Amino acid sequence: MAYGKWEIYPRGRPDLNNLRKPMDPCDREVDEFGRLREAAHEYFCRRNGEMGKHPHILLALLVTSSQHRRRGAGSLLVQSGIKKSDETGLPAYLQASEQGRRLYGHYGFEDIDTVEFNLSDYGMTGVERMTEMLRKPSGTAELKVADST
Ligand SMILES: CC(C)(COP(=O)(O)OP(=O)(O)OC[C@H]1O[C@@H](n2cnc3c(N)ncnc32)[C@H](O)[C@@H]1OP(=O)(O)O)[C@@H](O)C(=O)NCCC(=O)NCCS
């Protein structure tokens, strides 16, 4: 029905070197969306790499199957990460689609930066917005987030 993946990095990410690698060129050839996949790869690796210099927990994936949306499943999975964040004192970080952004806002995530992907650059139509968001654990001192540009 719904799937969420929280990754916990108490000492920052151990795989920073992997995040600096370009996408395997073979992955670009799989289908007609290769260039978009490559742009997404570059975006996620760069942003996760920047945040990865700091201790945090990352919401790496959240999806609810379309027939079960707006019934609270996504919220439950977000809350499980928030609980872990508050227990550990680690800030919670994610990159939100427009569908997820409102939901995360309800739980105290704040915008850091928004990037627009113009899908016409990739043979499609529309614009996809991704917003980096951060929620500080409750009851802890302010976290210094590195420049994400
Ligand atoms: C984003 C996503 C994961 C949300 O999952 P979800 O299970 O629908 O989440 P919830 O049901 O907890 O909350 C969604 C909305 O329904 C509302 N809601 C929750 N339970 C409800 C209920 N019983 N009755 C009415 N509304 C309800 C929530 O308040 C929320 O409202 P909002 O739009 O104002 O934020 C889902 O839309 C999705 O999979 N989208 C595609 C993938 C994607 O964009 N993932 C996020 C990547 S960061």
Side-chain angles (χ1 to χ4, degrees):
M1 177 196 289
Y3 179 80
K5 184 182 181 201
W6 284 96
E7 297 175 355
I8 302 174
Y9 298 112
R11 285 173 288 282
R13 291 187 69 130
D15 59 346
L16 286 178
N17 283 341
N18 286 341
L19 294 176
R20 293 187 189 107
K21 291 181 186 161
M23 191 176 81
D24 186 333
C26 296
D27 291 343
R28 206 184 310 143
E29 313 304 329
V30 174
D31 57 26
E32 70 271 34
F33 305 116
R35 281 197 311 115
L36 178 58
R37 202 175 311 107
E38 188 172 47
H41 174 90
E42 197 274 333
Y43 169 78
F44 286 113
C45 285
R46 187 152 50 86
R47 303 305 168 109
N48 286 336
E50 202 54 53
M51 189 65 196
K53 296 171 186 168
H54 308 272
H56 69 288
I57 72 171
L58 168 73
L59 181 58
L61 189 62
L62 180 70
V63 63
T64 300
S65 66
S66 49
Q67 68 270 35
H68 294 293
R69 288 181 190 166
R70 303 194 66 82
R71 295 186 195 171
S75 297
L76 284 176
L77 293 167
V78 172
Q79 286 170 50
S80 72
I82 287 175
K83 185 164 173 282
K84 183 60 88 177
S85 165
D86 288 344
E87 281 168 7
T88 58
L90 297 169
Y93 170 75
L94 55 82
Q95 294 101 0
S97 66
E98 281 299 286
Q99 275 186 309
R101 188 176 174 189
R102 268 174 68 95
L103 178 63
Y104 305 132
H106 294 321
Y107 291 102
F109 282 84
E110 293 180 355
D111 293 2
I112 301 174
D113 182 49
T114 299
V115 168
E116 291 190 348
F117 292 91
N118 191 339
L119 299 184
S120 64
D121 293 343
Y122 304 97
M124 289 170 270
T125 55
V127 172
E128 187 71 31
R129 281 184 197 82
M130 295 303 295
T131 301
E132 288 183 279
M133 302 180 83
L134 186 77
R135 178 191 178 275
K136 294 172 196 155
S138 56
T140 55
E142 188 158 322
L143 172 91
K144 184 179 181 310
V145 180
D147 178 16
S148 60
T149 56

